[in-house]
């Protein structure tokens, strides 16, 4: 998978790669300190900076959006501590490729040189293939550096994660992307044929992806223009809608924040205005849909359970219709959220429950509600005394489901609005019944 090769100015002088190589390849950095946008990792106090200073690398998972420098950092890590660099892609590799890579690493180890094995798109390997890494990581045959754009918590085996540290790469901000363009201009010894507004629009359209930005810049360097392009001309040339944000606005993040807060504040007119600003400017509709879905679960929740359903339906409709027809489904979801009853009760409940779960550790639930599939477990009291609620009056036994070491907690407090008003009534009835039965 293509990745970002980018460096801070001044431009690097190098004989390789040649002038026919892609612009992004010609801008490869030679040292970790030259990689832009990830200073929180590569700086002296960052995790990578500290590993390099100590001369010892641990197996690592690099998690971040496309075009943020994962491949570049892996290559430079190997160089920085004198490891042999080997690379495979989970998209194109199978078991035979893994066996070959491990065999070569063992041979290199016998010759006195350890191997950094870089695995691009590591989340695409299945669970069994991921397990195959474990013995070679444990015995030091390889230092594993995996790259993924997906959440490692969901996509990688717990056993593999326990043997590697996860480092998060940031999407490149506007300042870092502007440095990339300046770096490219210095290398080409000429400015991009863009007005200031078009330059800002080009940066915004990259959405944090440095590789994409450099590819677009390379296209612009290849054409001969009499006059610099304005945002509209840039959009027409690249055949891509370019997000055009006013210079005095906060742009991409400012508008999505305004949209979210307008929905939370139940102002459908303002919400529709900010939605229009983003879509007309060329924001990716699926990004907007993701943010609307987050608003549905954060600011409405069970006050109107249909809010989430509306967002998912809008996404399906947009996938089916595309632009511009499908954008009307996004409008419907936006208006539904803005006019729905509001509650952040489940958002607060999640934070409280997560906090208690971290603090309480791995204490066991009551034995009465644990499954007892074996005789030994039954003899130990697992499942003993369990009250099957459907056999109880009103299908409610009033049993205690909390661990003995943890008193009952109250995380979720329904609001008195919308459907949550009915939920609150049910919870109150259950609590009264439980108290009446001594629960």
């Amino acid at each position: 998978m293509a990745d970002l090769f980018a460096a801070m100015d001044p431009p690097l002088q190098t004989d390789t790669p040649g002038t026919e190589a892609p612009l992004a390849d010609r801008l490869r950095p030679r040292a970790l300190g030259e990689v832009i946008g990830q200073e929180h990792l590569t700086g002296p106090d960052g995790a990578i900076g500290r590993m390099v200073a100590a001369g010892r690398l641990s197996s690592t998972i690099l998690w971040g959006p496309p075009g943020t420098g994962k491949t570049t950092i892996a290559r430079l890590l190997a160089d920085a501590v004198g490891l042999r660099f080997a690379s495979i892609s989970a998209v194109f590799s199978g078991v035979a490729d893994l066996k070959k890579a491990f065999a070569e690493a063992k041979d290199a180890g016998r010759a006195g040189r350890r191997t950094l094995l870089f695995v691009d798109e590591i989340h695409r390997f299945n669970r069994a293939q991921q397990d195959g890494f474990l013995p070679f990581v444990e015995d030091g045959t390889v230092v594993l550096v995996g790259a993924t754009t997906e959440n490692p918590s969901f996509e990688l085996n717990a056993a593999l994660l326990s043997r590697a540290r996860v480092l998060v790469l940031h999407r490149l901000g506007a300042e870092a992307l502007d440095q990339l363009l300046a770096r490219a201009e210095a290398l080409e010894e000429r400015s991009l044929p863009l007005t200031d507004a078009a330059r800002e629009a080009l940066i915004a359209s990259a959405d944090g992806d440095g590789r994409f930005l450099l590819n677009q810049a390379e296209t612009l360097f290849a054409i001969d223009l009499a006059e610099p392009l304005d945002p509209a001309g840039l959009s027409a040339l690249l055949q891509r809608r370019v997000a055009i944000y006013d210079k005095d606005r906060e742009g991409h993040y400012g508008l999505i924040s305004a949209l979210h807060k307008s929905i939370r504040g139940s102002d459908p007119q303002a919400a529709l205005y900010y939605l229009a600003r983003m879509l007309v400017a060329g924001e990716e509709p699926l990004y907007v849909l993701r943010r609307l879905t987050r608003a549905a679960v954060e600011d409405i929740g069970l006050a109107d359970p249909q809010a989430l359903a509306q967002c998912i339906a809008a996404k399906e409709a947009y996938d089916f219709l595309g632009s511009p027809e499908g954008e009307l489904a996004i409008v419907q979801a936006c208006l539904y959220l803005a006019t729905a009853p509001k509650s952040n009760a489940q958002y607060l409940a999640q934070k409280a429950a997560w906090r208690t779960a971290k603090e309480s550790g791995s204490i066991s639930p009551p034995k009465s509600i644990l499954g007892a599939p074996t005789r030994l477990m039954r003899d130990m009291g697992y499942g003993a005394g369990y009250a099957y609620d459907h056999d109880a009056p009103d299908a409610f036994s009033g049993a205690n489901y909390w661990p003995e070491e943890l008193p009952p907690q109250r995380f979720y407090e329904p609001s008195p609005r919308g459907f949550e008003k009915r939920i609150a009534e049910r919870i109150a009835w259950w609590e009264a019944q439980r108290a009446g039965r001594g629960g």
Side-chain angles (χ1 to χ4, degrees):
M1 296 290 97
D3 205 344
L4 166 67
F5 295 104
M8 298 178 67
D9 47 358
L12 303 175
Q13 302 300 320
T14 178
D15 296 327
T16 59
T19 57
E20 298 303 315
L23 177 62
D25 289 344
R26 288 184 280 136
L27 291 177
R28 293 183 185 187
R30 292 180 176 177
L32 286 165
E34 295 166 352
V35 177
I36 68 168
Q38 311 304 337
E39 290 81 7
H40 65 293
L41 296 178
T42 59
D45 296 325
I48 290 175
R50 289 179 181 276
M51 284 194 290
V52 170
R56 293 179 59 86
L57 299 185
S58 58
S59 290
T60 301
I61 303 298
L62 300 175
W63 174 27
T68 51
K70 297 184 288 294
T71 302
T72 296
I73 288 174
R75 287 182 179 275
L76 295 176
L77 265 175
D79 291 341
V81 296
L83 296 185
R84 169 180 171 267
F85 181 83
S87 174
I88 60 174
S89 169
V91 177
F92 303 111
S93 303
V95 173
D97 301 288
L98 289 175
K99 288 182 178 179
K100 180 181 178 183
F102 293 137
E104 292 175 348
K106 279 187 175 294
D107 290 341
R110 295 188 191 100
R113 192 173 187 196
R114 295 185 68 200
T115 296
L116 185 154
L117 178 61
F118 175 67
V119 183
D120 200 12
E121 305 283 353
I122 190 172
H123 61 277
R124 293 183 180 268
F125 278 133
N126 62 37
R127 301 287 174 171
Q129 290 170 319
Q130 291 179 29
D131 283 339
F133 286 97
L134 299 179
F136 301 99
V137 171
E138 290 177 342
D139 69 10
T141 300
V142 299
V143 174
L144 174 66
V145 177
T148 179
T149 57
E150 305 296 327
N151 190 328
S153 299
F154 303 136
E155 302 296 336
L156 299 184
N157 285 1
L160 186 58
L161 281 178
S162 70
R163 292 162 175 80
R165 63 189 305 179
V166 176
L167 302 181
V168 180
L169 281 74
H170 296 164
R171 69 186 296 281
L172 299 184
E175 182 178 350
L177 292 172
D178 190 58
Q179 284 183 333
L180 279 183
L181 291 185
R183 172 79 173 83
E185 289 171 327
L187 186 66
E188 293 288 332
E189 298 182 345
R190 54 197 171 111
S191 298
L192 284 165
L194 301 173
T195 65
D196 290 343
R199 187 187 183 91
E200 291 182 7
L202 179 64
I203 289 172
S205 74
D207 196 23
D209 186 333
R211 167 68 73 170
F212 171 85
L213 182 70
L214 291 177
N215 287 344
Q216 298 290 66
E218 190 165 31
T219 299
L220 292 169
F221 280 130
I223 59 177
D224 185 20
L225 296 172
E227 297 290 336
L229 294 172
D230 61 12
L234 175 65
S235 179
L237 175 69
L238 299 179
Q239 292 298 299
R240 175 184 173 91
R241 294 192 302 172
V242 179
I244 306 169
Y245 296 127
D246 295 340
K247 291 181 183 178
D248 59 341
R249 305 288 182 182
E250 293 186 14
H252 175 86
Y253 292 107
L255 288 181
I256 200 62
S257 177
L259 172 61
H260 194 141
K261 290 181 173 64
S262 298
I263 289 171
R264 180 183 295 154
S266 300
D267 189 334
Q269 316 305 337
L272 188 57
Y273 165 71
Y274 290 118
L275 178 72
R277 281 277 305 277
M278 298 187 79
L279 292 179
V280 168
E283 188 60 78
E284 289 292 338
L286 289 177
Y287 171 78
V288 176
L289 280 164
R290 286 196 294 271
R291 303 321 304 163
L292 291 178
T293 303
R294 172 65 189 191
V297 295
E298 179 180 340
D299 295 300
I300 299 169
L302 290 174
D304 187 345
Q306 283 299 310
L308 177 58
Q310 284 281 332
C311 290
I312 300 303
K315 189 264 182 187
E316 293 295 321
Y318 180 78
D319 284 344
F320 184 53
L321 295 174
S323 292
E325 290 88 351
E327 292 173 7
L328 188 57
I330 304 177
V331 169
Q332 177 172 319
C334 176
L335 292 176
Y336 192 98
L337 300 187
T339 56
K342 302 301 187 295
S343 169
N344 71 340
Q346 70 182 22
Y347 173 66
L348 297 177
Q350 182 205 16
K351 293 194 344 184
W354 264 233
R355 183 170 56 251
T356 299
K358 291 177 182 177
E359 293 171 352
S360 60
S362 56
I363 55 179
S364 175
K367 284 187 177 180
S368 62
I369 63 172
L370 294 177
T374 69
R375 181 183 182 88
L376 174 62
M377 296 172 74
R378 290 192 293 273
D379 291 344
M380 293 175 63
Y382 283 52
Y386 172 62
Y388 187 59
D389 285 83
H390 292 290
D391 291 339
D394 299 310
F396 181 73
S397 68
N400 175 44
Y401 299 99
W402 290 87
E404 292 182 5
E405 300 92 332
L406 183 67
Q409 307 288 304
R410 193 178 182 93
F411 303 127
Y412 177 51
E413 295 282 359
S415 74
R417 295 176 292 281
F419 185 71
E420 277 194 317
K421 182 177 181 181
R422 293 171 60 188
I423 294 176
E425 293 170 355
R426 291 179 199 164
I427 292 176
W429 186 87
W430 286 323
E431 290 178 344
Q433 295 297 311
R434 188 174 281 115
R437 300 175 194 183

